[in-house]
Amino acid sequence: MIHPSPHIFEQTPETLSAWCAERGWPKFRAKQVFDWVYAKGVADPHAMSNLKPAEREQLAAEMNFLSGDTVAHQMATDGTQKLLIEWRDSGVANRESTGTSLPIVGGKGDTSRQTECVMIPAESEEGAERKTACVSSQVGCPVGCRFCASGIGGLDGNLSTGRIVEQVWRLARLPNVGRISNVVFMGMGEPLSNFKAVTDAVRRMAAPTDQGGLGISARKITISTVGLPQAIERLAEEMELPVTLALSLHAPNDDIRRDLIPWANYTTIQDLLAACSKWFSKTGREITLEYIMLGGINDQKQHAEELAQVARTLRANVNLIRYNEVAGMPFSRPRTEDVRAFQEILREQRVNVHIRASRGRDIAAACGQLRHEKAQA
Ligand code: SF4
């Protein structure tokens, strides 16, 4: 069952004003409530002292503020922080909810209500302090990538817009954070299979704080997809904000891709290239290719040559990510010399390539690991 009350983190100025007007409240109440939530960081209606006591009561009873509980909070030695949130009711798991006709790999459980989100501190190339929120879009994941802990057990539900935004709001309130500068949809779930909730969440994140938003630049919000060609085209058509698109390629050819990513059986790299080139023509924005390097599987020189071809066709940047091992999964972290040689081949082919720093390894920051470990305990 989806929670019946509207969620504050999905309200626009228009919807919250209408909600207040329906209750006979003065017009400026919506602005005051937004000010408490987004500027002052207060999500308890009872603490909103410039509202009348009866209004505070009504707000608490009829509007959802925080709809999950933090069941674990971990801090890594490099400052990365991870939250495991348990939502107060389950999502809806059915095939339609994936937004595609693709089957849910691993089944639909409705057994877990937990998702993870991570705050990763870093310095940008220009030396500015960057605080990146990595958020989940679904409970579990329907894609079932063989190397990923999030897909174990299939899909348990979709997160609503409010719950996606709530993750960023919570991360901003952790010790030593203050302000989130970047958001990546790289936590649990395939964002484009929860299309409406994710795109609406982006709109709320990018809205100014006095307009019911988090005030994060849309260019600093990255939607990362495993590759749904139709959904990529839809995003190019429907998303009016200049978000960044990342494609989780993870393999240089269809054979390896299908071994690693079950949903790759329903599409080809050629299909993805066609969708990505439509994205580029429509938006003018380059795509980033994400490539998880798995020791002995996709980290050899011939794989780098193949990947370079794909990247050059797309004029895409490549991020190489060294795999973080997950207990019970038959994949290993690649050797440092293999990663360097791989990067060098891409560079020689004039591909803009970075090795993504591994963050939070001591708290198992790869998506789904904490939830998986808790479930095993
Ligand atoms: Fe889902 Fe992403 Fe994990 Fe694949 S890597 S199972 S798409 S969360």
Side-chain angles (χ1 to χ4, degrees):
M1 187 189 82
I2 289 187
H3 56 90
S5 311
H7 199 307
I8 191 67
F9 292 115
E10 48 200 42
Q11 300 304 310
T12 65
E14 294 73 31
T15 59
L16 189 58
S17 297
W19 190 92
C20 292
E22 277 165 27
R23 284 153 185 82
W25 297 7
K27 243 184 160 180
F28 52 83
R29 284 285 183 259
K31 228 173 169 42
Q32 287 176 316
V33 173
F34 279 152
D35 185 55
W36 279 108
V37 174
Y38 292 107
K40 299 191 177 84
V42 172
D44 174 7
H46 296 106
M48 298 180 178
S49 52
N50 52 2
L51 273 65
K52 291 181 185 164
E55 291 170 343
R56 285 179 233 163
E57 288 301 324
Q58 202 171 6
L59 194 58
E62 298 177 19
M63 180 72 72
N64 233 304
F65 280 76
L66 297 180
S67 56
D69 299 301
T70 297
V71 292
H73 172 204
Q74 296 182 326
M75 187 163 334
T77 46
D78 64 11
T80 299
Q81 299 188 59
K82 179 185 260 200
L83 294 178
L84 182 64
I85 299 173
E86 179 152 317
W87 304 101
R88 294 203 190 109
D89 53 59
S90 59
V92 180
N94 55 40
R95 186 168 294 190
E96 288 70 38
S97 75
T98 72
T100 76
S101 56
L102 303 183
I104 295 169
V105 179
K108 47 180 184 169
D110 220 23
T111 52
S112 174
R113 288 176 285 125
Q114 297 181 346
T115 62
E116 297 177 10
C117 54
V118 186
M119 190 288 302
I120 306 152
E123 212 172 81
S124 72
E125 279 169 13
E126 303 78 44
E129 199 183 32
R130 193 163 57 191
K131 304 253 170 75
T132 300
C134 176
V135 296
S136 294
S137 54
Q138 295 180 302
V139 186
C141 183
V143 181
C145 299
R146 309 256 184 252
F147 49 81
C148 172
S150 291
I152 298 171
L155 178 70
D156 291 294
N158 282 323
L159 289 178
S160 65
T161 296
R163 289 176 175 193
I164 295 170
V165 179
E166 183 178 326
Q167 294 170 67
V168 184
W169 188 92
R170 283 172 178 268
L171 289 171
R173 261 127 216 111
L174 293 177
N176 313 321
V177 182
R179 193 182 169 275
I180 295 289
S181 57
N182 297 58
V183 175
V184 293
F185 281 84
M186 292 185 187
M188 216 171 258
E190 161 51 52
L192 294 187
S193 79
N194 187 15
F195 192 95
K196 173 96 173 64
V198 165
T199 48
D200 282 347
V202 167
R203 293 183 179 102
R204 300 291 15 104
M205 291 172 193
T209 49
D210 62 353
Q211 303 285 308
L214 294 167
I216 298 168
S217 159
R219 288 179 196 282
K220 295 188 173 172
I221 300 176
T222 299
I223 297 180
S224 173
T225 174
V226 80
L228 303 172
Q230 287 173 351
I232 290 172
E233 289 177 32
R234 184 178 168 200
L235 190 68
E237 290 297 326
E238 295 182 18
M239 175 44 73
E240 69 287 2
L241 301 171
V243 293
T244 299
L245 183 66
L247 174 63
S248 298
L249 197 66
H250 304 330
N253 59 52
D254 285 324
D255 286 344
I256 296 180
R257 207 162 189 267
R258 286 174 183 158
D259 279 347
L260 296 175
I261 304 173
W263 274 17
N265 283 298
Y266 304 95
T267 187
T268 63
I269 291 178
Q270 273 311 318
D271 295 337
L272 292 173
L273 293 183
C276 290
S277 108
K278 283 187 190 155
W279 164 273
F280 184 74
S281 330
K282 177 84 189 166
T283 66
R285 290 194 301 284
E286 285 173 358
I287 286 179
T288 302
L289 294 179
E290 304 286 335
Y291 193 95
I292 289 189
M293 297 188 71
L294 304 158
I297 305 278
N298 62 358
D299 63 343
Q300 301 301 300
K301 289 182 177 160
Q302 71 273 21
H303 302 140
E305 303 278 359
E306 286 180 285
L307 178 61
Q309 291 258 332
V310 175
R312 290 186 60 184
T313 311
L314 273 181
R315 283 183 292 172
N317 303 314
V318 173
N319 273 338
L320 301 176
I321 305 148
R322 280 165 289 187
Y323 182 63
N324 278 336
E325 279 138 7
V326 178
M329 289 199 162
F331 296 102
S332 55
R333 198 165 163 86
R335 298 183 316 168
T336 303
E337 58 266 37
D338 289 339
V339 177
R340 295 240 168 86
F342 198 97
Q343 182 188 32
E344 210 36 57
I345 291 169
L346 287 161
R347 281 204 173 133
E348 280 163 12
Q349 305 265 351
R350 298 189 304 285
V351 174
N352 188 10
V353 54
H354 291 97
I355 299 172
R356 198 128 44 80
S358 293
R359 307 305 306 261
R361 283 200 84 204
D362 50 331
I363 58 166
C367 94
Q369 280 195 67
L370 178 58
R371 182 181 85 142
H372 180 55
E373 284 166 13
K374 290 268 174 196
Q376 305 279 302

